[in-house]
Amino acid sequence: GQQVMQIPQYQHVQEGEDFTTYCNSSTTLSNIQWYKQRPGGHPVFLIQLVKSGEVKKQKRLTFQFGEAKKNSSLHITATQTTDVGTYFCAGAQGGSEKLVFGKGTKLTVNP
Amino acid sequence: DVKVTQSSRYLVKRTGEKVFLECVQDMDHENMFWYRQDPGLGLRLIYFSYDVKMKEKGDIPEGYSVSREKKERFSLILESASTNQTSMYLCASSLVGSPINSPLHFGNGTRLTVT
């Protein structure tokens, strides 16, 4: 079946360190969405990328969509304890009308 | 703000029971979805609906059915619950158009345990 691979599965950082999670697909994605799920909460939409090579920023978060539209990344600069949670990417492959979620990267931040 | 409400936060059912999970959204969204979330497996799409009385299979529809009689309500049905259906179930909605292009708004989830 369709798969969107997301790495790493877990990431532990000290507060103030940077963090990056990566999503990869074997086929071209129509778009990519990113979600954050706080512990005990539900996924909350962060952003959508559509264009090849697109870069978007939200304060300390930088989102990129690869030139070939097969990969994406989320980078957090100078993590804070409020960044704790699981980050998911979700994309649609090859004209599919279904979003496929990556398995998520669980971020923990040590104060 | 969009509100997606799932009827139960926790549910315990016995093997073989028929189980109904209800979801209501209050923002007139066209698209509604049911996902299940399991540790290490992420979110997997069970069914989705882009209009009243319309339904489409997701990636793991086996053992489930859905009903969308009204635009605001999307029900997930487990015809005969089994222990491997123990999971967190998340309902989501999105505004209109292609199901892949609109942000998903999730409910708080129903943690179902089948014993």
Side-chain angles (χ1 to χ4, degrees):
Chain A
Q2 301 173 349
Q3 282 192 322
V4 174
M5 307 302 294
Q6 190 173 354
I7 56 169
Q9 190 174 358
Y10 302 96
Q11 185 76 61
H12 310 282
V13 299
Q14 289 293 129
E15 190 171 19
E17 291 181 341
D18 291 357
F19 159 75
T20 306
T21 174
Y22 301 89
C23 264
N24 295 290
S25 169
S26 58
T27 58
T28 302
L29 299 169
S30 304
N31 61 333
I32 193 104
Q33 296 180 357
W34 285 93
Y35 291 81
K36 176 185 179 180
Q37 185 174 24
R38 293 181 187 274
H42 57 272
V44 174
F45 174 79
L46 294 176
I47 210 160
Q48 176 169 272
L49 306 171
V50 178
K51 298 177 183 176
S52 168
E54 191 169 13
V55 178
K56 287 188 176 180
K57 292 191 175 186
Q58 290 179 349
K59 297 183 180 177
R60 293 178 296 104
L61 278 62
T62 302
F63 303 84
Q64 293 187 324
F65 201 9
E67 292 290 340
K69 299 182 74 173
K70 289 184 177 181
N71 54 72
S72 181
S73 65
L74 158 59
H75 179 82
I76 302 178
T77 304
T79 55
Q80 300 175 357
T81 54
T82 52
D83 294 326
V84 163
T86 301
Y87 293 84
F88 293 96
C89 62
Q93 297 172 312
S96 169
E97 286 292 293
K98 293 185 283 189
L99 272 178
V100 176
F101 277 78
K103 293 183 180 179
T105 296
K106 185 174 182 179
L107 172 65
T108 55
V109 179
N110 297 322
Chain B
D1 222 13
V2 177
K3 191 163 185 183
V4 179
T5 304
Q6 295 184 231
S7 54
S8 305
R9 185 78 171 115
Y10 299 96
L11 210 52
V12 180
K13 296 291 181 180
R14 293 189 182 274
T15 301
E17 277 193 80
K18 190 168 186 175
V19 181
F20 293 86
L21 302 184
E22 306 286 348
C23 175
V24 177
Q25 49 91 6
D26 66 356
M27 284 300 290
D28 205 35
H29 281 183
E30 301 284 338
N31 304 316
M32 295 190 75
F33 308 80
W34 276 105
Y35 287 87
R36 65 176 282 178
Q37 183 173 24
D38 301 288
L41 296 178
L43 282 79
R44 293 179 292 167
L45 180 63
I46 305 171
Y47 268 97
F48 67 101
S49 168
Y50 51 87
D51 202 353
V52 175
K53 296 191 184 295
M54 304 299 286
K55 61 183 179 184
E56 293 285 342
K57 291 181 179 179
D59 297 315
I60 52 164
E62 296 80 16
Y64 304 94
S65 62
V66 291
S67 172
R68 191 157 181 212
E69 296 297 316
K70 294 185 178 181
K71 190 175 186 179
E72 67 270 20
R73 187 180 296 270
F74 194 35
S75 303
L76 180 69
I77 303 153
L78 287 66
E79 294 290 341
S80 177
S82 63
T83 54
N84 62 14
Q85 293 179 310
T86 292
S87 186
M88 172 67 84
Y89 289 88
L90 290 163
C91 175
S93 70
S94 67
L95 182 56
V96 70
S98 170
I100 64 171
N101 284 333
S102 298
L104 295 173
H105 299 266
F106 284 89
N108 287 330
T110 296
R111 185 166 293 282
L112 172 68
T113 302
V114 182
T115 61

